[in-house]
Structures are given as C-alpha cells and as structure tokens.
Amino acid sequence: MTIEKKGAGEILLAHGGGGLLSRRLIEEVFLNAFSNKYLAPLNDQAVLSVNRSRLAFTTDSYVVNPIFFPGGDIGRLSVCGTINDLAVGGARPLYLSASFIIEEGLAFDELGRVVKSMADTAREAGVEIVTGDTKVVERGKGDRLFITTAGIGVVDDSVDLSPSLIRPGDVIIVSGTIGDHGIAILTHREGIRMEAPVESDCAPLHSLAADMLKASGGGIRAMRDPTRGGLSSTLNEFAGSCMCAMVMDEDKIPVLETVRGACEILGFDPLYLANEGKLVAVVSPDAAPPVLEAMRRNPLGRDAAIIGAVEAKPGGKVLLETSIGNRRIIDMLSGEQLPRIC
Amino acid sequence: MKYIDDFRQRELALGILGKIREISSRKANVMEICGTHTHSISRYGIRDSLPPNIRLISGPGCPVCVTSANDVNRIIAFVRKERNVIVATFGDMLRVPGSGSTLQEEKARGSDIRVVYSPLDALDMAASNPGKEVVFYAVGFETTAPTVAATVLSAAEDGVKNLSVLSLHKLTPPAMKALLDGGDVEIDGFICPGHVTAVIGAGAYGFLSTRYGAPCVVAGFEPLDALLGLHMLIRQIEEGRSEIEIEYGRVVTWEGNVRAQGIINEVFEPADSVWRGIGTIPSSGLKIRDAYGRFDAEKKFQMDAGADVEPAGCMCGSVLKGLITPDGCPLFAAACTPADPVGPCMVSSEGTCAAFYKYRKVVA
C-alpha cells in the first residue's frame, strides 16, 4: 500500500517519526528519485572510495523541541548525532559542517550557548567544524533554531560492516540503558516532574565503536545507533536486511528504573523510545565476549549487555521473549510516538 | 517499580492459573469491560493459558473506540470550518479514521490540533492564546471526567472565556446493562474496570448482581491482579453466586472517590449517548449542565452532525459488542494494521484489535 493510495496527500508528522511511515517516505519518494548504489543499502552513512581511501559521509538535521533539555541541547545533539552516524559505520570522524536556520527573534545569548556547546562537543570528540551556513527566517516560519550537520570520516580497509552479514547464532549487544533521551525530552517538555529527573544520554560514540572494532577481530557484523523509532525499529531494519529473526530477552534489556516508571505511567514502551548515546551491535558468537569486555571498559559502554541472539526463523522479524516466558512480535514503530525528539 | 514487579511474578501467575483450572468445570463467558484489561490479558498470554471452557470476551471499554462515527466526522467537519480554533485532545483521537480523513490529516492541512496529556493543558493553551477559541475534544469514561470537570471549574473561577469542552464522555454501568438487555452476547460474569471503579465505587454494579444475576469482580491491571480476579469470578460462577467482589482492594472501595463524584456531578449531568457498534444507550453519557453552558462547545458553536458512516468493511462495532474477536474480521492484520488502521479499535492503545495485533502469535 503506497502513501498515495492511502489518500493522505500531505506529509504527516508521523512521516518524521522514524518508524514505518518514515521508511515508506524514504523508499517511495527519495530512494526512487536519487537511486544509486551508495544510497541503496539505507545505512546511516554512505561509504565512498576516493583515491584508494574509504570515506564515510553522512548528514542529519536537528529540530528538537525544546532546544535546551536535561543532559544536552540541540548543539551537542547535532554534533553527537552526526559523529554517531559515522561511528556506527566503523569510521573515524574527522570533519563536520554546520548549517543554521534561525528564527527571527532568537536571543543572541541562546544561540551563543548552543554554538559553544557544539564547539565543546567537537573538541571532546576530536573533530573540527570546518564549514557552514546561516539563514534567518521570519518569526513564525521556523521554531527558534534548526541545525543541519554533515560529517566525513575515514574507514579502515579491514572494516566490513553490513546488516546483510548477520547470520543465525550471532549475538545482539546494546551499549547501555535504552529510552533515556526520549523520556528526558518528554518529561522536560511536558513539565512532568520526577523524583530523579532523567537526563538525555546524548554522547559521541566513536571511541566506543573504535574500542569494539579493535577487540572484535572482525567479528562485528553491523552497528547502528537506535535514535528515532528506538531499539525496535533498528532491529527491524537489521532483520529486514539479513532476513533472520532478532530475538530479544525482555529481562536482559537494560532500562533505568526511572525510565521504566515513566513508561508505565505515560504508556510508552522503552523499545520505541529514542536514544542519542547508545549503539546496538550484532557480533559473531566468538567475538561477543571480547567485544562486551571492551565496551564495559569504556565509560560509554559501562552498562553494555547481551540482550539476545539471531535465529533463522521467522525471517525478517523481531521477537521479544517476555518475562513470563512467551514470545511476541515487535513491529517497527507505527505512527508517531513523540514528535521532534531530535 | 518493585510495586509493579511484585504483581508480575511468573511462579505466582502459574500457581493461580493452576487453581483456576482446578475449580473450573462449567462453561464461563467472561467479559472484561476495560481496554486496559484486554491489553494486559493479551500481553501476558492469559487468554491462551485458560481452560477451553472459559472464554474471555473483550467489552466496549476503549473510549476512543466507542466514540461514534458521527462524532468522529463531526469534529473533522468542525476543524475544517472553524479556522480560529485550537482543538486539544488525547493523542489516539488524531489517528481515528473518519469518512475520508483523520484529525492528523486535517492538522497537516493547517487545522490547529494539539495533543495534550491532561485536560488542564487546554486551560494553559486558552490563557496563552487569548485571540483563539480552545475546544477540548473530551473522550473518556468516569476516570477522565473528573479532570475535565475540574478544568471547567478552574475556567469558571478564572473567568476564562475562550475555552469550551465537547463532552463525549461515556459511563460504564449503563453500557453493561445495555449489553445484558440486548442479549446478543452471552455473558456469565464481568471483570469490572479497576480505575473506573476507583471513581464510581464497586457499589455502582449492585444492580447487575441483584437484577441480572451477573457476578462481578473489580480487578487491577497487572497480570496477577487479572488472574486473581478471574479466579474469584470463576469461583462465583461455579458456586452459582452473583456478588460484587473487589480484587483491587489497594485502590478500589465500595463508595469510590466521593470528591471526584462530586466534581463530576457539579459540572455534568447524565445524558443519552451514542456508542459505536451499540447505538444510543439511555443516560450513558455526560453533558455539561446549563450552569456551565458557556463552556459547552455544542452550545458555543454550530456543530453540524457528521456523516454516520462506518469505514467500509470495518467490524469494530461487532468487536466492541463482544460478538466477534478481532481475528474474525477479514480486514484484521491484512488491510487493517496499526500503521494503516481502518477502524478505531486498531488505532487506540486500548483497542481490542490493537491488543490482538500487538501480541499476536509468532508464526515461524
């Protein structure tokens, strides 16, 4: 069923939600028009060969509301998000661009704080912001500040990552607690006060990814950072690429107590909530112990855990083995869980 | 979370299931009224764990789902016509398909429709948008009505002039009565909703046991609550009793939340209401009393009746009455999925079709 056939002649907010509708939008509008071999795998980055070097190239836009939130701000997010899209492709991030769409009336002080945060994050991550652009739109035509960053990095010849390489018996590892960013934004935005406020996990993951690659002996099949649409959408993408089943064990998925509590109250599922400082990797069974150990040595992977394994059937599906012992299908996010989360 | 995890212990759940099997000998058609029960029962696979003589029937307990096609189309027509209005409502209402459109699509076309988590948010919205009219599109049962009533009372106290409520609230006991009176579906006992009963009190079901001989157990929503409630209900059916019993004693009392009842009665009065699938049920809705008529969107605006057309092929009506389970609908999981819902029962997080779809079995 295509977008047109559904009779919805306009873009809905849900098309930006990172779930099934986003997927359809990309496949039916963009993939068709731009069709080429770099875009086709729909990875978070394209890996290009230039003069015998392998370059990873990616871009992302940030429209998060509000622009300052517990644990981060739109500036830090815009640097981390693009670094992470490079890192999960096995690249060492080098240079970033930054473009700003600023709404008339934004305070200089606020823009200054965002830009300083970007500079600090870039320094922390060892990347440089080397080019950019600014546009200003009339009041009411934007929402304070939108940022687009692009990034390039280099990929070692030895790195070969693709979800199509995933096979039955492989192990699924997540680098830490899931859903922190989504709950941090939501509770902050809606003014929901919690005993212990949840902070966004927003962080650059390239050092963690590098540690993992080094420890893996080539055993990492694929990595991705589960942002919009959450862990469930990322694993559904993996399952769709390798046509295996991704089977998660509910009790092994790390979730902060406060996030679980907020989800119970608000009716959200942590599996569908955005993360901005977590990655999920599928690794060969041999590589799993050393990779997990390397992750836990890095502060960003302290709570890393094996959350499941890959099985042959049912192909293309994600399953959750629940606490009380039955298995259910975990679909991609349908509709929109929370708008403008990143 | 300990308080929640305690009510999800696997060993205890299996133990109660064993006890249900031990005492159950006769056919028992049990209706769980509340959509949250339906989800819990599906999520924990309770339906399939019961002996075959116990049949769980999902009732009309999802507020989004029981909102009539007419009312869904009426609000869509309203937002198309009134351009200086902000419509505030709960998230699920945006995706409910009307005839050819949804509020979500109208929003993309320029109508100002906003999702709120509490009706009180509509009050803030009215204050920060003095040049606009804010209409709260209120669906819900006795659980939602007190906060909406409190919102109206606050608005009255503060002299707010640009806020009104379209009240589509529904009341649970009249619907249970209507299902028994209709006689289309055989019901031997009810699992009554925990949170609705926390407001109205378990005494509200007295007529079901005395006049209809229908046993009732008010249960909580965690798996152990639902199973304990079922055990109590099956025991009543086996022993030929028809009483009102409370499993959810940590929340529910006989008289309910008297203060919340007072607020509801201050602002609302019972009125006939149209339920999807069931039709008009006498005194099963809440309309705003004349004293607060200035907050009644139906009085403030000319709201034309919407088309009373069900989506083609949709069997939500039969699902809501408990006549069929979702897999009895040819559209289920084929033309109708959460991504492309045809009817409201697939949209709402409390809908029966959504529960059956989300927790459907794995076919390898």
Side-chain angles (χ1 to χ4, degrees), chain A residues 21-304:
Chain A
L21 281 181
S22 301
R23 185 84 185 183
R24 281 188 200 162
L25 173 72
I26 290 166
E27 285 177 359
E28 291 168 22
V29 178
F30 300 113
L31 202 54
N32 268 338
F34 301 150
S35 139
N36 63 60
K37 66 176 178 181
Y38 302 106
L39 184 61
L42 290 181
N43 286 330
D44 287 342
Q45 69 301 116
V47 177
L48 317 164
S49 294
V50 182
N51 286 346
R52 277 174 292 160
S53 315
R54 292 171 78 206
L55 289 183
F57 181 36
T58 190
T59 183
D60 217 329
S61 297
Y62 300 85
V63 298
V64 66
N65 168 36
I67 59 177
F68 298 98
F69 48 83
D73 56 75
I74 190 171
R76 180 169 170 83
L77 194 63
S78 70
V79 173
C80 293
T82 291
I83 287 176
N84 293 347
D85 282 347
L86 294 171
V88 295
R92 184 161 55 87
L94 294 173
Y95 303 107
L96 262 51
S97 74
S99 299
F100 299 83
I101 297 174
I102 307 165
E103 185 189 20
E104 181 182 29
L106 180 73
F108 261 106
D109 169 57
E110 290 190 305
L111 182 61
R113 280 162 63 200
V114 168
V115 172
K116 178 173 186 305
S117 171
M118 292 177 79
D120 291 346
T121 309
R123 204 171 306 118
E124 169 193 337
V127 300
E128 286 181 291
I129 300 170
V130 293
T131 182
D133 182 50
T134 54
K135 297 283 190 300
V136 178
V137 296
E138 302 97 311
R139 193 183 272 272
K141 305 287 174 175
D143 189 2
R144 309 185 74 201
L145 180 62
F146 299 150
I147 302 178
T148 299
T149 53
I152 54 173
V154 284
V155 187
D156 266 4
D157 280 340
S158 61
V159 172
D160 186 14
L161 299 175
S162 166
S164 60
L165 301 173
I166 295 171
R167 62 196 70 161
D170 286 351
V171 172
I172 307 166
I173 303 178
V174 65
S175 67
T177 54
I178 60 162
D180 305 8
H181 179 74
I183 289 296
I185 299 282
L186 177 78
T187 51
H188 184 60
R189 187 158 71 194
E190 301 301 330
I192 299 165
R193 282 180 296 276
M194 320 241 310
E195 237 167 74
V198 178
E199 292 206 338
S200 166
D201 55 357
C202 182
L205 293 169
H206 59 294
S207 72
L208 178 66
D211 290 352
M212 292 166 68
L213 283 167
K214 206 167 141 194
S216 70
I220 299 181
R221 315 280 194 214
M223 290 193 280
R224 209 159 271 185
D225 56 332
T227 55
R228 282 176 311 173
L231 184 61
S232 62
S233 295
T234 298
L235 289 181
N236 266 289
E237 287 164 8
F238 281 175
S241 296
C242 65
M243 287 318 285
C244 299
M246 304 280 142
V247 185
M248 290 184 280
D249 185 335
E250 187 169 34
D251 292 337
K252 290 187 179 153
I253 302 170
V255 184
L256 285 177
E257 280 293 292
T258 41
V259 170
R260 273 184 74 196
C263 283
E264 286 291 337
I265 293 165
L266 299 167
F268 289 113
D269 186 338
L271 292 175
Y272 292 94
L273 287 174
N275 309 280
E276 291 293 342
K278 298 291 151 41
L279 61 79
V280 54
V282 179
V283 303
S284 70
D286 294 347
V291 168
L292 191 65
E293 206 192 310
M295 291 173 86
R296 286 179 174 164
R297 273 201 303 267
N298 186 310
L300 292 170
R302 203 179 48 223
D303 300 320

Side-chain angles (χ1 to χ4, degrees), chain B residues 63 90 119 136 138-153 165 167-171 195-196 199-200 259-269 285-288:
Chain B
F90 299 126
F136 184 67
V139 301
F141 293 109
E142 294 90 334
T143 37
T144 322
T147 6
V148 177
T151 305
V152 170
L153 290 176
V165 172
S167 173
L168 302 174
H169 288 104
K170 306 249 185 299
L171 301 174
H195 295 153
V196 163
V199 174
I200 65 175
R259 190 151 170 246
Q261 292 165 17
I263 293 174
I264 295 177
N265 286 334
E266 168 69 22
V267 174
F268 295 112
E269 59 186 325
L286 290 174
K287 81 184 248 280
I288 295 179

Side-chain angles (χ1 to χ4, degrees), chain A residues 6 10-13 20 24 186 190 257 260-261 264 314 319 323-324 326-329 331 334 338, chain B residues 1 4-5 8 10 44-45 104-105 107-109 117 338-340 357-364:
Chain A
K6 281 303 291 175
E10 295 87 10
I11 294 290
L12 307 177
L13 254 184
L20 206 54
R24 281 188 200 162
L186 177 78
E190 301 301 330
E257 280 293 292
R260 273 184 74 196
E264 286 291 337
L319 307 181
S323 310
I324 63 164
N326 45 27
R327 282 181 170 199
R328 64 181 172 94
I329 299 172
D331 288 309
S334 63
L338 295 167
Chain B
M1 286 301 290
I4 287 177
D5 292 336
R8 292 181 183 171
R10 188 171 182 212
Y44 295 100
Q104 162 175 264
E105 286 166 35
K107 180 169 177 277
R109 290 178 192 131
Y117 292 88
D340 295 302
Y357 186 89
K358 183 167 183 188
Y359 303 111
R360 67 197 186 279
K361 279 200 215 83
V362 178
V363 186

Side-chain angles (χ1 to χ4, degrees), chain B:
Chain B
M1 286 301 290
K2 183 180 181 304
Y3 200 49
I4 287 177
D5 292 336
D6 280 351
F7 289 90
R8 292 181 183 171
Q9 294 179 56
R10 188 171 182 212
E11 297 310 313
L12 283 177
L14 293 175
I16 303 169
L17 269 170
K19 287 204 182 303
I20 293 174
R21 273 192 219 101
E22 256 170 50
I23 61 166
S24 168
S25 66
R26 61 172 91 176
K27 184 170 69 68
N29 293 309
V30 173
M31 176 171 276
E32 88 274 0
I33 288 292
C34 182
T36 312
H37 275 138
T38 304
H39 268 255
S40 195
I41 286 165
S42 298
R43 174 171 173 184
Y44 295 100
I46 292 175
R47 193 175 286 100
D48 295 331
S49 314
L50 294 171
N53 53 309
I54 301 176
R55 189 162 71 99
L56 294 183
I57 307 162
S58 306
C62 150
V64 171
C65 310
V66 296
T67 302
S68 70
N70 176 324
D71 283 329
V72 170
N73 286 321
R74 191 157 61 125
I75 193 79
I76 291 172
F78 176 72
V79 300
R80 282 179 177 169
K81 191 181 71 173
E82 297 283 345
R83 303 314 287 191
N84 196 39
V85 160
I86 302 171
V87 169
T89 191
F90 299 126
D92 284 343
M93 288 311 292
L94 264 70
R95 301 182 62 231
V96 174
S99 301
S101 185
T102 60
L103 284 181
Q104 162 175 264
E105 286 166 35
E106 293 307 320
K107 180 169 177 277
R109 290 178 192 131
S111 293
D112 195 344
I113 298 160
R114 303 188 193 177
V115 172
V116 293
Y117 292 88
S118 160
L120 289 161
D121 295 345
L123 206 57
D124 298 339
M125 226 174 258
S128 47
N129 294 278
K132 289 198 157 194
E133 279 291 332
V134 175
V135 176
F136 184 67
Y137 180 35
V139 301
F141 293 109
E142 294 90 334
T143 37
T144 322
T147 6
V148 177
T151 305
V152 170
L153 290 176
S154 289
E157 204 180 305
D158 300 347
V160 176
K161 297 213 161 46
N162 60 334
L163 176 72
S164 57
V165 172
L166 176 59
S167 173
L168 302 174
H169 288 104
K170 306 249 185 299
L171 301 174
T172 311
M176 296 162 80
K177 180 177 182 299
L179 286 172
L180 292 173
D181 285 339
D184 294 337
V185 53
E186 203 182 318
I187 301 168
D188 299 312
F190 288 105
I191 293 290
C192 300
H195 295 153
V196 163
T197 316
V199 174
I200 65 175
Y205 307 111
F207 72 98
L208 291 168
S209 69
T210 53
R211 266 194 275 155
Y212 291 87
C216 295
V217 175
V218 184
F221 299 102
E222 294 305 325
L224 288 188
D225 285 313
L227 284 169
L228 268 177
L230 261 174
H231 181 253
M232 290 163 77
L233 190 66
I234 297 299
R235 199 164 56 192
Q236 284 204 51
I237 293 170
E238 291 293 330
E239 293 171 2
R241 289 183 290 128
S242 60
E243 294 164 17
I244 313 299
E245 294 180 317
I246 302 173
E247 180 278 334
Y248 202 25
R250 61 193 192 279
V251 173
V252 171
T253 60
W254 288 98
E255 51 289 338
N257 184 334
V258 177
R259 190 151 170 246
Q261 292 165 17
I263 293 174
I264 295 177
N265 286 334
E266 168 69 22
V267 174
F268 295 112
E269 59 186 325
D272 296 354
S273 181
V274 185
W275 295 57
R276 189 183 290 257
I278 303 174
T280 303
I281 304 177
S283 300
S284 69
L286 290 174
K287 81 184 248 280
I288 295 179
R289 287 185 189 275
D290 285 342
Y292 296 95
R294 60 192 185 282
F295 299 106
D296 188 341
E298 293 186 88
K299 290 197 176 127
K300 198 168 198 176
F301 301 97
Q302 168 77 31
M303 286 194 168
D304 306 326
D308 200 8
V309 192
E310 296 293 333
C314 176
M315 297 183 76
C316 277
S318 300
V319 171
L320 287 165
K321 270 171 106 171
L323 293 177
I324 61 165
T325 51
D327 34 22
C329 172
L331 303 186
F332 177 74
C336 184
T337 62
D340 295 302
V342 176
C345 301
M346 188 59 97
V347 172
S348 173
S349 52
E350 291 172 278
T352 305
C353 299
F356 273 65
Y357 186 89
K358 183 167 183 188
Y359 303 111
R360 67 197 186 279
K361 279 200 215 83
V362 178
V363 186

